[in-house]
Amino acid sequence: MKNMLITGGCGFIGSNFIRYLLKESDYTGRIINLDKLTYAGNPENLADVQKEYPKRYIFIQADICDEPRVGEIFDSYRIDGICHFAAESHVDRSIVKPDAFIQTNIVGTFNLLEAARSRLGQTIRFHHISTDEVYGSLGKDGYFTETTSYQPNSPYSASKASSDHLVRAYHKTYGLPVTISNCSNNYGPYQFPEKLIPLIVLNGMEGKSLPVYGDGQNVRDWLYVKDHCVAVWMIMKHGKNGETYNIGGDGEMANLKLVEMICDILDETNPLSDRRSRRDLIEFVKDRPGHDLRYAIDYSKLKQDLKWHPEVTLETGIRETVNWYLQNRSWIDRVKSGEYQTWIKTHYC
Ligand code: NAD
Ligand code: DAU
């Protein structure tokens, strides 16, 4: 691959992936980052990269649903590989207003597949980023494998499931070279503070209440974002054409326990002025409708075939993440105040 199209590269995982590819991996080609800059996209996440790699990093503000524009980008930049992150990604938002999830996650993925299919002679390798949520919910035991049947329970996961099926179908029907990865909950630097971990860290830093849905016993498997990036790049390089790989973090934990862990780390590193324990800030709030009870990933295929395993334990990763948010208050302030949108307007228009 010489000209890799990365969609959604200004979001949380996409920006971590671009930084990893340019600064730490053995990828030597160009990156074309196509991002619509929705509320979740923030070019400031890659401001350092833009400065350091002016020849190898190109940013284009565009919508993956805009078919002619996508085609133009494929041709102008001679795209020969795609890593497709762009999506509406927040489950709660999909429950309130699913429309954009259907457009971006399904129609947008379809557009990219069509763009690749109509240039089949050029061999465009397509990697699709998906989620463990497509498999539905586990009970107390068991793990999702690559052959677990799909049972999505939210508009978000249903839209991601649809896009996975389209990617698979384009491989089976048209011979498009594809790989798919389904990973668990990511956490780490640059995550938009609508998701559980950054929300709790930020509210905790400010001594605000810490909302926990239901009884807090829902379990997620937490994957440090850098470990995810390493896995994706390995799959793009060495994964078998047409295959799906699960990526897990060995980090299963109930939400309440995780929130308590963050409270304790914050109390230790950044105590409240009145020395109150942050655990007192925990507030049990109305549950999410259709809230999946438990996700857990069996990633043995990736371990056996590509020798990947997660390096960062949950305790270490959470400490590093809390530390990152503590040290990046101006990023937080701009994201929260909406000032980053002003930055976009002044910089790109
Ligand atoms: P995010 O919400 O932080 O970022 C999404 C990015 O996509 C943003 O930069 C946004 O501007 C861009 N985007 C949205 N609609 C677009 C459109 N129509 N055209 C172009 N760009 C558009 O998401 P994330 O957490 O970084 O997730 C990235 C991918 O990983 C998604 O496909 C998501 O489903 C998947 N995933 C995420 C997690 C997680 O824990 N965050 C876990 C499993 C899978
Ligand atoms: O499993 C992978 C998925 O992880 C990705 O596909 C999604 O894009 C990503 O957003 C994430 O989905 P979740 O719904 O699991 O993540 P979220 O951070 O929204 O919630 C994590 C858990 O915490 C979930 O059980 C709901 C709960 N929660 C969440 C919020 C925002 C709370 O208890 N309180 C909250 O305020």
Side-chain angles (χ1 to χ4, degrees), residues 98-305:
D99 319 36
F101 289 75
I102 306 305
Q103 283 309 315
T104 289
N105 300 2
I106 305 177
V107 178
T109 302
F110 166 71
N111 264 339
L112 292 168
L113 288 166
E114 276 291 282
R117 175 172 86 92
S118 59
R119 291 162 182 82
L120 260 183
Q122 299 168 28
T123 311
I124 301 175
R125 179 74 185 258
F126 194 112
H127 182 72
H128 178 60
I129 304 289
S130 191
T131 169
D132 59 2
E133 298 203 12
V134 297
Y135 299 123
S137 184
L138 292 164
K140 285 211 157 61
D141 305 312
Y143 294 88
F144 298 132
T145 71
E146 288 81 358
T147 55
T148 302
S149 63
Y150 274 32
Q151 278 190 330
N153 291 319
S154 71
Y156 162 71
S157 52
S159 67
K160 291 296 289 185
S162 306
S163 63
D164 292 9
H165 291 321
L166 281 170
V167 174
R168 182 187 148 87
Y170 270 62
H171 173 69
K172 291 280 176 192
T173 305
Y174 305 115
L176 193 73
V178 308
T179 39
I180 299 177
S181 53
N182 295 75
C183 68
S184 50
N185 286 57
N186 283 226
Y187 69 102
Y190 301 103
Q191 187 166 30
F192 196 78
E194 64 188 353
K195 306 280 166 68
L196 180 69
I197 290 179
L199 181 88
I200 296 299
V201 174
L202 266 52
N203 282 9
M205 278 162 66
E206 292 175 15
K208 290 185 179 159
S209 85
L210 308 174
V212 172
Y213 296 164
D215 60 5
Q217 293 313 311
N218 301 70
V219 173
R220 295 291 180 268
D221 170 47
W222 295 98
L223 170 65
Y224 194 61
V225 65
K226 168 84 182 298
D227 278 331
H228 183 202
C229 295
V230 172
V232 167
W233 181 227
M234 268 191 189
I235 295 167
M236 289 186 79
K237 283 195 301 181
H238 305 300
K240 266 200 205 139
N241 187 9
E243 293 286 316
T244 290
Y245 296 89
N246 279 353
I247 311 174
D250 278 340
E252 264 192 75
M253 195 172 275
N255 293 335
L256 179 59
K257 201 170 163 208
L258 177 71
V259 170
E260 288 174 345
M261 188 203 253
I262 297 171
C263 288
D264 297 347
I265 293 173
L266 278 172
D267 286 347
E268 182 193 313
T269 55
N270 203 33
L272 287 171
S273 51
D274 58 6
R275 297 267 152 189
R276 245 182 338 147
S277 159
R278 268 146 174 128
R279 287 185 183 217
D280 296 343
L281 301 171
I282 294 173
E283 194 184 333
F284 293 95
V285 299
K286 197 167 163 278
D287 208 352
R288 171 187 284 173
H291 196 173
D292 288 333
L293 178 68
R294 176 172 165 258
Y295 303 145
I297 286 254
D298 175 346
Y299 63 85
S300 48
K301 179 174 171 182
L302 191 55
K303 193 172 178 184
Q304 270 158 28
D305 292 3

Side-chain angles (χ1 to χ4, degrees), residues 11-13 35-36 38 41 63-64 85 89 104 156 160 183 186:
F12 162 49
I13 308 176
D35 196 301
K36 183 180 174 182
T38 66
D63 186 339
I64 57 168
F85 290 96
S89 69
T104 289
Y156 162 71
K160 291 296 289 185
C183 68
N186 283 226

